[in-house]
Amino acid sequence: MACAHKRNVKIWFHLTLVPFLCFAEPQLDLPPSPQVSTQRNPYGFGLSSTQSANPQGNQFDVNRNFQYSTSRPPNSATPGVYPVSSTPFSRINPDISNNGYPSLDYGNGRNPSSTLRPFDDRNRDDRIDTTNDANFRRNDPNLSRNDPNYVGTNPYSFNRDPNTNTIDDRLNYANVQQVRDFLHRADDQASKECTNNVAAQWNFETDVNDATQHAALDAQQRYTLFQRGLWEAAQHVPRGAIRDFGTFRQLRLISTIGPAALPPDQLDRYNRIINDMLAVYNSAEICAYNEPFKCGLHLQPELQFIMSHSRDWDELQHAWTEWRRNTGRRIRDLYEQLVDLTNQAARLNNFTDASAFWMFPYETQNMRQDVDEVWEQVKPLYDLLHAYVRRRLREAYGPERISRSAPIPAHVLGDMWAQSWSGIVPITLPYPGKKLVDVTSEMVQQGYTPVTTFQLAEEFFVSMNMSAMPDDFWALSVLQQPADRHIHCQPSAWDFCNGHDFRIKMCTHPDMKDLITAHHEMAHIQYFLAYRNQPKVFRDGANPGFHEAIGETIALSVSSPRHLQTLGLIQRSVDDTAHDINYLFTQAMDKLAFLPFALVMDKWRWDVFSGEVRKEQYNCQWWRLREQYEGIKPPVLRSELDFDPGSKYHIPANIPYIRYFVSTILQFQIHRALCSRTGQFIPGDPSRPLHKCDIYRNPEAGRILTRIMERGSSLPWSQVLQETIGEGKLSGEALRDYFRPLEEWLRSENLRTGEYLGWSYDGDYCKFSIETAGLQVYGGFYNAASSIGITSFFTLLLSSALMVVGMHWR
């Protein structure tokens, strides 16, 4: 998950331009924005108004400027304009569709048997009742059915020559053309607005100072105001006569704007709540274990280093507990308010609640069922890995701490959230005598630089007959830490929305990790290049997980020992069973272990948003799901005073997470399809296993990837996938194929040691109230001292009585 392309719809402060370059400065005829909150909004959707952008009902002006309806007087100062590439401005190219959520609910999520009129302003239903709708010309009693012009024709077919039809058809054709003109105008202006915004974010991230930060905030506010104005205009576009799929889909994309639909005061409150939670999260620090005066330890790098490198049970428990005390517990009340506002925004966008809105871009009838079915396909492999890792941890920490059949305590899995188990690979590796492949020293010896690393990545794509990087990419990207200024080093790929300016920002080092990341980031640029000729609203992944899936598909080939040998970075043979199992094991400890965590992140929020879980159950439901799906438990007893979900950034930032589950599954499906088409993977053939496939120098693989990417979000993702790789839904079978040798090894190893597969619930992990936190739990005490005095005994007795009474009242 290390990197991702930048989406303009987010509230990211990303992207700024190198100051010594000369740029054109496109200026737009938009008024300055009104006085509204400049707080960060993780959706980046925009600012809201309750006023109508066009009070004349269904009349709309294709030549209008899409501006916020409560703009300031025209004599106000025009906002600043931000420099972009000097190459002549061409058409659009944003990946700006609702923070990765293409708004393509052409069915509006309602009962498909609906018989409402073509477009109902109140019910927002776009289907037709062909029997009763007076606008459907065949049911018009005044229709002259003997008119030869009507014989064999469909009054709602607008793709034929209008000169051959009646005046009614020509009028309808004109209406559709007017809608297309509107979309073209919106497309052009949105591209320019997007370019200005992205440039300002780039300037901030590549030169962090107060001036660039203020400019980035101003640009983000201006851009979101534009989005709101465009949304207001789109509400008045008549859709009853539109039967062109692409036109209809574009309108749907710009007609769902998430939190921006909130009234201005509520949107400001929404943004302030998120800002306040993130302020707590980003400033959280703890004191060192056994060193109470050594404080100021932050998540990065100190706490993450402790979680991945320390093998001291008590130190890990201290870091785990204190991080949650200083993050989640402090934001619980704010999160409860955020849930209400997020649901309110969803309803204003015509969804029942925020869970429906978050599932919306995946265009499926039952997202919950789909992801659960995929997880059931993967779970047998996960159970094998879980059992093996539990045994190795039991050997390291002792059977009194790690039970043979219980869930694994979350703090000893090498990561603050146990979302990746890579940190404990050194103590769990199947063949510790065989070193893991690491080409860092060889890269240093061969003189790799940031530029040569990215040139190697470019050559990977060119070898598959894909695009070379444009000249602007090399001139304007920031590929290493500048000596004269501070930049944000998180790797990211950037689309400047103008069809020619694409960049990467990354503080590159000559090591194996950055070699793989460079290929991953350039895959995002390839995606931008592939769909740059689409209308702006379609310039995004086919669903929110596709961009990451493509990047990780490339990484599967680049990280393979076979590819590294091809590059001359491995000089010895690593083609043996021990190296194969070790390689697959390290991959599984990252990708496979991550899947249930990603699933729980949003299953919990779906339940919260839908009201299935009340605020009095937030924390205990979190641990119920983590135990159910991941087989882990907290190292100390938790209560509803805690708010452990809030210890993960995406919860206070209100950013959906299921996209990472989807992308992890999709990458293996795409990888398997590419390898099958190029003859490198044959099911059942041990000489051609999937994990050894390398699509380098395979033009057929490049052709398939290009077909996937060039569609953008112009079609439902399942259709894109079906047309390109022959699979129309998510499936975990490709992941099982990839890890097949490891699965067989784990099964044999667990049988050899008699491991228990799965886990049994071994006591309460979370209590409704803190008064019960000292209760004995199946033979041991969470947080218990070695002995319990008489006072503690009576306290426990009283707590037990209170708990029993409480149960009767629930």
Side-chain angles (χ1 to χ4, degrees):
M1 277 52 58
C3 106
H5 63 296
K6 287 296 177 184
R7 291 202 166 120
N8 311 313
V9 199
K10 277 187 186 171
I11 273 209
W12 22 276
F13 292 109
H14 317 305
L15 311 148
T16 252
L17 224 148
V18 191
F20 52 80
L21 297 171
C22 221
F23 307 99
E25 299 184 345
Q27 184 135 12
L28 303 180
D29 184 17
L30 280 178
S33 55
Q35 294 295 332
V36 289
S37 168
T38 57
Q39 302 293 322
R40 289 190 57 173
N41 172 356
Y43 288 98
F45 281 119
L47 298 159
S48 176
S49 169
T50 56
Q51 298 185 25
S52 170
N54 188 341
Q56 277 75 44
N58 284 339
Q59 300 301 314
F60 61 96
D61 178 8
V62 297
N63 296 314
R64 65 172 291 175
N65 282 320
F66 307 106
Q67 59 200 43
Y68 190 52
S69 61
T70 56
S71 58
R72 289 180 297 201
N75 59 354
S76 300
T78 301
V81 183
Y82 307 94
V84 294
S85 163
S86 57
T87 309
F89 184 85
S90 63
R91 280 179 57 79
I92 58 164
N93 195 37
D95 53 325
I96 175 188
S97 15
N98 292 345
N99 194 23
Y101 311 121
S103 306
L104 30 89
D105 180 14
Y106 40 81
N108 221 18
R110 290 193 173 86
N111 190 332
S113 64
S114 168
T115 56
L116 297 177
R117 47 173 287 117
F119 180 76
D120 185 299
D121 281 328
R122 173 173 299 176
N123 296 295
R124 293 289 193 272
D125 195 299
D126 300 288
R127 284 170 294 277
I128 295 180
D129 176 2
T130 59
T131 303
N132 301 314
D133 188 353
N135 293 319
F136 200 83
R137 300 300 298 169
R138 286 183 304 171
N139 299 318
D140 187 344
N142 297 320
L143 175 63
S144 176
R145 300 189 183 279
N146 295 324
D147 188 338
N149 289 322
Y150 276 90
V151 175
T153 64
N154 178 357
Y156 272 80
S157 174
F158 298 106
N159 295 319
R160 61 183 185 271
D161 184 357
N163 295 320
T164 63
N165 263 315
T166 67
I167 187 170
D168 291 323
D169 282 330
R170 291 199 295 272
L171 284 173
N172 284 327
Y173 182 89
N175 289 337
V176 173
Q177 188 57 49
Q178 192 178 13
V179 172
R180 290 172 178 162
D181 290 343
F182 165 83
L183 291 172
H184 179 77
R185 169 69 176 169
D187 188 78
D188 182 66
Q189 192 171 355
S191 300
K192 297 172 184 177
E193 284 291 330
C194 175
T195 299
N196 281 346
N197 180 48
V198 173
Q201 311 306 324
W202 172 270
N203 288 334
F204 169 64
E205 288 223 350
T206 57
D207 187 6
V208 179
N209 59 61
D210 287 344
T212 56
Q213 182 178 17
H214 290 152
L217 284 168
D218 179 70
Q220 181 66 56
Q221 177 177 310
R222 173 186 166 102
Y223 184 62
T224 51
L225 290 172
F226 164 78
Q227 286 183 294
R228 169 72 188 202
L230 181 58
W231 174 74
E232 289 178 340
Q235 304 307 304
H236 302 289
V237 175
R239 306 182 198 183
I242 298 175
R243 293 297 173 270
D244 175 72
F245 178 80
T247 302
F248 187 87
R249 194 172 177 88
Q250 287 186 63
L251 278 174
R252 295 295 293 148
L253 274 165
I254 64 177
S255 297
T256 304
I257 58 173
L262 289 167
D265 59 332
Q266 294 301 302
L267 180 62
D268 181 66
R269 180 167 164 251
Y270 174 90
N271 289 333
R272 281 189 289 105
I273 288 172
I274 288 178
N275 283 342
D276 290 346
M277 289 193 295
L278 290 180
V280 170
Y281 185 92
N282 292 326
S283 63
E285 57 185 42
I286 74 169
C287 297
Y289 177 66
N290 280 343
E291 295 183 74
F293 297 106
K294 182 183 177 182
C295 297
L297 302 184
H298 293 89
L299 180 63
Q300 292 288 0
E302 295 94 351
L303 298 185
Q304 282 288 57
F305 183 85
I306 290 171
M307 299 304 294
S308 61
H309 288 79
S310 174
R311 303 296 177 242
D312 183 324
W313 179 280
D314 294 328
E315 181 183 27
L316 291 169
Q317 179 175 297
H318 169 82
W320 190 95
T321 306
E322 285 296 288
W323 173 251
R324 282 155 179 78
R325 184 176 68 84
N326 288 301
T327 53
R329 182 178 283 206
R330 293 173 57 193
I331 67 173
R332 177 170 180 139
D333 290 342
L334 289 171
Y335 189 78
E336 292 174 7
Q337 299 175 49
L338 181 69
V339 169
D340 292 337
L341 286 169
T342 306
N343 274 336
Q344 182 181 341
R347 286 189 287 270
L348 290 171
N349 283 274
N350 304 306
F351 295 95
T352 54
D353 54 57
S355 66
F357 174 63
W358 282 19
M359 298 179 205
F360 175 50
Y362 297 96
E363 300 182 90
T364 175
Q365 293 297 319
N366 194 332
M367 184 68 174
R368 292 173 182 263
Q369 179 179 327
D370 291 349
V371 294
D372 274 338
E373 287 177 355
V374 171
W375 175 242
E376 287 303 314
Q377 291 177 310
V378 174
K379 190 175 183 297
L381 174 57
Y382 179 82
D383 287 348
L384 291 170
L385 180 69
H386 182 278
Y388 170 79
V389 168
R390 182 174 55 198
R391 174 175 72 84
R392 299 301 301 269
L393 290 174
R394 188 169 66 251
E395 293 170 353
Y397 291 104
E400 70 280 1
R401 286 174 165 162
I402 305 289
S403 168
R404 188 177 191 85
S405 59
I408 302 172
H411 67 307
V412 295
L413 286 166
D415 175 78
M416 182 60 80
W417 308 279
Q419 70 178 64
S420 169
W421 300 352
S422 297
I424 59 171
V425 163
I427 63 172
T428 57
L429 199 65
Y431 293 95
K434 299 289 186 178
K435 290 185 177 180
L436 294 172
V437 172
D438 187 349
V439 300
T440 299
S441 59
E442 190 66 27
M443 290 178 66
V444 172
Q445 184 175 338
Q446 294 187 22
Y448 273 69
T449 67
V451 172
T452 57
T453 299
F454 276 93
Q455 287 174 338
L456 189 65
E458 179 186 48
E459 199 274 329
F460 182 93
F461 292 101
V462 171
S463 77
M464 296 190 293
N465 202 28
M466 298 174 72
S467 298
M469 293 296 100
D471 291 341
D472 280 348
F473 172 86
W474 298 107
L476 304 177
S477 292
V478 175
L479 304 180
Q480 57 187 317
Q481 172 71 59
D484 60 340
R485 64 187 187 276
H486 173 64
I487 74 171
H488 285 311
C489 281
Q490 181 69 21
S492 49
W494 299 71
D495 180 349
F496 278 69
C497 312
N498 56 16
H500 60 80
D501 193 347
F502 311 97
R503 310 177 195 177
I504 285 175
K505 172 188 64 65
M506 177 173 165
C507 299
T508 316
H509 303 91
D511 58 38
M512 181 171 172
K513 177 183 176 183
D514 282 6
L515 175 68
I516 296 170
T517 301
H519 286 75
H520 176 112
E521 296 301 330
M522 196 167 283
H524 290 308
I525 303 295
Q526 291 289 337
Y527 215 146
F528 298 154
L529 288 166
Y531 60 47
R532 61 180 169 176
N533 293 320
Q534 289 281 355
K536 180 180 183 301
V537 293
F538 294 155
R539 297 188 182 204
D540 202 352
N543 72 31
F546 258 73
H547 253 287
E548 280 299 300
I550 295 295
E552 288 300 293
T553 297
I554 299 302
L556 289 176
S557 284
V558 175
S559 63
S560 67
R562 176 176 294 180
H563 181 73
L564 297 173
Q565 281 183 313
T566 302
L567 297 179
L569 293 173
I570 296 179
Q571 308 301 334
R572 55 189 172 81
S573 173
V574 291
D575 193 11
D576 58 68
T577 299
H579 279 103
D580 273 358
I581 297 303
N582 278 354
Y583 170 69
L584 288 173
F585 180 78
T586 58
Q587 291 278 67
M589 292 288 274
D590 182 38
K591 295 180 182 295
L592 179 59
F594 173 75
L595 281 171
F597 173 81
L599 193 56
V600 165
M601 280 280 287
D602 275 6
K603 285 186 75 72
W604 178 82
R605 286 190 286 190
W606 293 343
D607 289 342
V608 167
F609 289 141
S610 66
E612 293 181 28
V613 172
R614 303 186 309 274
K615 61 184 179 181
E616 298 85 5
Q617 305 168 315
Y618 280 179
N619 208 50
C620 292
Q621 171 69 1
W622 172 257
W623 284 111
R624 187 190 72 79
L625 289 173
R626 297 207 72 181
E627 185 268 337
Q628 176 186 346
Y629 284 92
E630 299 177 69
I632 68 172
K633 64 181 180 180
V636 296
L637 188 62
R638 313 305 283 160
S639 80
E640 286 299 338
L641 283 181
D642 300 303
F643 183 56
D644 295 327
S647 71
K648 176 65 177 172
Y649 175 83
H650 295 72
I651 299 293
N654 215 28
I655 297 174
Y657 211 76
I658 198 67
R659 68 183 67 175
Y660 299 117
F661 178 90
V662 171
S663 68
T664 304
I665 295 296
L666 273 176
Q667 66 186 259
F668 291 101
Q669 289 185 254
I670 297 172
H671 182 65
R672 182 176 66 175
L674 298 178
C675 296
S676 296
R677 301 282 183 88
T678 57
Q680 295 191 57
F681 168 62
I682 299 177
D685 186 346
S687 66
R688 299 194 180 187
L690 186 55
H691 72 278
K692 290 187 178 181
C693 169
D694 175 18
I695 60 174
Y696 181 51
R697 296 173 180 167
N698 271 285
E700 175 64 11
R703 185 187 68 81
I704 297 169
L705 280 173
T706 300
R707 284 191 62 205
I708 293 174
M709 297 187 296
E710 67 187 4
R711 300 297 183 87
S713 60
S714 63
L715 294 172
W717 71 268
S718 56
Q719 183 176 340
V720 172
L721 208 64
Q722 183 67 49
E723 292 178 356
T724 51
I725 70 171
E727 299 179 43
K729 64 177 184 177
L730 289 177
S731 170
E733 291 305 315
L735 182 146
R736 294 281 294 275
D737 283 342
Y738 183 89
F739 288 108
R740 189 76 63 194
L742 176 65
E743 182 172 352
E744 293 171 357
W745 184 89
L746 287 171
R747 182 176 292 107
S748 175
E749 181 69 6
N750 287 333
L751 283 172
R752 183 183 69 83
T753 59
E755 288 307 306
Y756 178 86
L757 293 185
W759 49 88
S760 299
Y761 185 76
D762 66 336
D764 291 336
Y765 310 131
C766 182
K767 292 291 187 180
F768 176 76
S769 65
I770 198 63
E771 285 80 10
T772 60
L775 289 176
Q776 190 172 2
V777 180
Y778 283 75
F781 285 92
Y782 282 114
N783 294 326
S786 57
S787 63
I788 302 178
I790 189 68
T791 303
S792 297
F793 172 78
F794 282 113
T795 301
L796 293 178
L797 191 61
L798 176 61
S799 298
S800 300
L802 290 173
M803 181 184 69
V804 172
V805 172
M807 286 181 178
H808 286 294
W809 281 101
R810 272 188 260 170

